[in-house]
Amino acid sequence: MESRWRDIVVLDYEVDFPTASPLELALYSTGAALAPRILLECADRWGAHRRPGLLDIPAGHYDRMLHEFGNRCAEPSFVAGLAGRLSRCVSRVAQATARLSGADAPTAGGIQAAVDALAELMAFHVLNWALPLTDIETWLAGLTRDPQAARELLMRLLVPNTSAHLTDFATLTAAAHHAIHAGGWSSQRAAELSAGIGHLQAPGLAQRPFEDARTLETYVRSLDPPEVGYLEAMRDSRDAARRRLARDTSMLLLAAGGTGRPVARTWAFVSMCRLAAEEEEQRRRWQAKALQTLRSAADRGGLDLGTVLPSACDTDETAGDRPALLIDATDGAWAWLRS
């Protein structure tokens, strides 16, 4: 997704999501553009759009923001503030989605409000590569005096506070399988299961197969005992990870000395790891739910999502912070080839 050419960093989401709609691509690239404002609460934004899903960023600006973010991850007050900003972004998406779901005649304004709220939440996907994992691992190695143990600890710290969306999908699917074979199944329960987890299969504007109750029921009925056992093992692994997280956190805080700056730095790093994992779960859940709601609202209101983009997706060629082109790519520049 990220590539560098001279003094330009290009975030190209078309590479990772080649079949995504312009709106889905724009949500990622606009989220990245808004990352400095959402994550660091500064007035800047990253670069400018070449088109939805393709963002050009001056490399100096990009590197400075990541460096500053990495440094501030060691500050407890910053990490706590970032968690609050994530919570507020999630709340705005939830509220906008609820308004759209409850509208008999959804409006273009309501759809735009939901898209803009989701774009701000999508800024948090930058944590996927902004998290200072090397700094955190080095700090943990100093506490444990064991680089290998530090590496394993780091992986164990990346556990969300809420349950993982794929774990929920697996748990509810396994429970439905048992209900079918126990005779406690009905078309109503199939519809409820589809409404509850169908969108978790993968975020996207296009309808997912498991959003159809009959398709999901067919899948659940087709599961054999080993497959059900695998789904239930995912739930057990989640529970074990949470227990390890509580133990590891206590151990690291004690190793840091119990008071003072080392404890504050340790708390900040541990909390940042948990927040990064939490962000991933919250964002993917609401990304899937919001896109499903946008599709349904557009269908009910007779509206076209093909031209809808986040308000902050500025594709104007005069937009600020756009790197200057080093090559004239206009048609006129190549006229000599035809002479």
Side-chain angles (χ1 to χ4, degrees):
M1 179 191 67
E2 174 194 326
S3 60
R4 288 179 182 251
W5 189 76
R6 297 192 178 182
D7 63 342
I8 300 171
V9 172
V10 180
L11 299 185
D12 186 353
Y13 293 91
E14 294 174 339
V15 172
D16 285 338
F17 309 106
T19 62
S21 68
L23 174 55
E24 292 170 84
L25 292 170
L27 285 166
Y28 275 103
S29 58
T30 304
L34 294 174
R37 178 167 69 82
I38 301 296
L39 302 186
L40 287 172
E41 293 189 299
C42 62
D44 294 340
R45 53 176 285 158
W46 261 353
H49 281 88
R50 201 182 312 171
R51 59 179 176 269
L54 193 59
L55 190 68
D56 294 331
I57 310 171
H61 187 190
Y62 179 85
D63 292 338
R64 283 193 301 274
M65 185 269 183
L66 291 183
H67 179 72
E68 180 182 355
F69 181 83
N71 286 340
R72 299 201 64 189
C73 285
E75 303 171 11
S77 60
F78 173 76
V79 177
L82 186 62
R85 291 193 288 281
L86 173 62
S87 178
R88 289 190 291 274
C89 284
V90 168
S91 294
R92 283 194 290 270
V93 173
Q95 291 165 7
T97 301
R99 284 193 293 269
L100 271 185
S101 297
D104 293 331
T107 65
I111 284 178
Q112 189 66 58
V115 168
D116 289 344
L118 182 56
E120 292 190 347
L121 177 60
M122 292 298 291
F124 282 88
H125 86 277
V126 172
L127 291 186
N128 285 340
W129 69 89
L131 195 66
L133 293 175
T134 300
D135 292 346
I136 296 173
E137 185 178 327
T138 299
W139 179 256
L140 296 179
L143 293 176
T144 61
R145 292 178 171 77
D146 184 341
Q148 181 60 36
R151 199 166 298 117
E152 294 173 359
L153 267 171
L154 177 56
M155 294 301 101
R156 295 206 299 266
L157 291 175
L158 294 167
V159 175
N161 295 320
T162 56
S163 59
H165 65 285
L166 291 178
T167 305
D168 281 354
F169 181 91
T171 300
L172 292 171
T173 300
H177 176 85
H178 293 310
I180 287 173
H181 288 274
W185 191 249
S186 66
S187 58
Q188 180 180 348
R189 286 198 62 180
E192 291 172 351
L193 180 67
S194 177
I197 67 173
H199 62 283
L200 297 180
Q201 190 177 10
L205 269 180
Q207 182 171 338
R208 287 349 195 195
F210 288 167
E211 289 182 52
D212 177 75
R214 284 178 294 183
T215 300
L216 181 55
E217 181 176 348
T218 298
Y219 164 72
V220 173
R221 288 183 181 277
S222 72
L223 294 172
D224 58 29
E227 290 171 324
V228 175
Y230 174 77
L231 294 175
E232 292 176 328
M234 289 180 65
R235 176 198 61 205
D236 296 339
S237 296
R238 173 201 63 192
D239 294 342
R242 285 178 173 173
R243 289 192 296 270
R244 285 195 303 268
L245 178 62
R247 181 198 65 199
D248 292 341
T249 300
S250 299
M251 181 197 73
L252 288 169
L253 290 173
L254 287 171
T259 59
R261 188 182 298 272
V263 170
R265 188 179 183 88
T266 302
W267 183 93
F269 278 153
V270 169
S271 299
M272 193 66 229
C273 288
R274 297 177 67 172
L275 178 60
E278 179 71 9
E279 171 278 323
E280 179 77 13
E281 291 305 323
Q282 294 280 7
R283 174 173 50 82
R284 288 187 66 84
R285 283 176 183 275
W286 284 106
Q287 181 185 5
K289 184 64 177 177
L291 289 173
Q292 179 194 49
T293 302
L294 284 166
R295 182 186 71 236
S296 174
D299 289 345
R300 296 198 314 276
L303 302 169
D304 180 16
L305 290 178
T307 59
V308 175
L309 295 174
S311 299
C313 183
D314 188 355
T315 55
D316 184 350
E317 289 298 324
T318 64
D321 206 21
R322 178 179 294 278
L325 291 174
L326 301 181
I327 297 175
D328 184 354
T330 62
D331 185 63
W334 303 100
W336 63 272
L337 288 173
R338 298 188 292 273
S339 61

